Amino acid sequence: RAPAAPAVPLPVEKTPAPHLDTADYHAFYVSVATFDGGRVHAILTVPKGDGVFPVCATVPGAGPGQVAPWNLMARKGWISITMHIHGFPIAKTADEQKARYNTWLAALKKKSGEPTYQRFGFAAGRDLPIYHNSILGMVRMLDWLAQEPYADASRFVYFGGSQGHGIYRMSDGKL
């Protein structure tokens, strides 16, 4: 995996999330700065023990996102990183996550002038791409992860359902 922007520093914040740890992996909250001053947030799991592990990156479908790691691959010895496209930190509970999402969505609707999520879709106009900076932030996050000593940069896979797949297509395959 070749970095998308190696000359740009990657101010990454990585915080242990021991309440999400299992017998198989350690969990972390990770965020990376975006080009508009925001942040992209993710849940990262790294298998316990020494080694270099393959990486499965995921983006959830539309909605508030997940508050726990997507651990199907994590339980099988893969690094798992679940990235959120919305610019708010991942909550510890589903109710809190939904409240944060609803606040974000209301602000986005007000900014775009459109009454429904479906109408403003991925952009509020040609000059206002809603997810542009988030996608660039996700690319930066994966660039950072590819440089970590425990990640096998030659074995990255991406999984995204619904909107998560759309984000991959919008990234022009850079995720």
Side-chain angles (χ1 to χ4, degrees), residues 28-140:
F28 304 88
Y29 291 115
V30 180
S31 71
V32 64
T34 58
F35 296 97
D36 62 350
R39 299 196 75 78
V40 168
H41 300 270
I43 301 171
L44 172 71
T45 62
V46 179
K48 290 184 176 177
D50 295 330
V52 178
F53 307 99
V55 177
C56 181
T58 64
V59 175
Q66 297 173 231
V67 295
W70 189 65
N71 62 16
L72 175 67
M73 299 305 281
R75 290 190 313 247
K76 296 180 182 288
W78 285 60
I79 293 168
S80 174
I81 186 161
T82 303
M83 300 178 289
H84 289 231
I85 60 171
H86 313 307
F88 54 84
I90 298 167
K92 291 187 178 178
T93 69
D95 287 342
E96 184 183 355
Q97 185 77 1
K98 188 172 183 178
R100 290 179 184 186
Y101 172 76
N102 287 337
T103 299
W104 171 85
L105 188 59
L108 190 57
K109 286 179 180 179
K110 184 176 180 180
K111 181 179 180 179
S112 72
E114 294 291 346
T116 68
Y117 185 87
Q118 293 80 7
R119 287 199 43 204
F120 61 75
F122 290 112
R126 300 196 87 167
D127 59 338
L128 183 60
I130 292 170
Y131 295 126
H132 178 77
N133 287 313
S134 294
I135 290 170
L136 293 177
M138 287 185 225
V139 171
R140 296 180 83 212

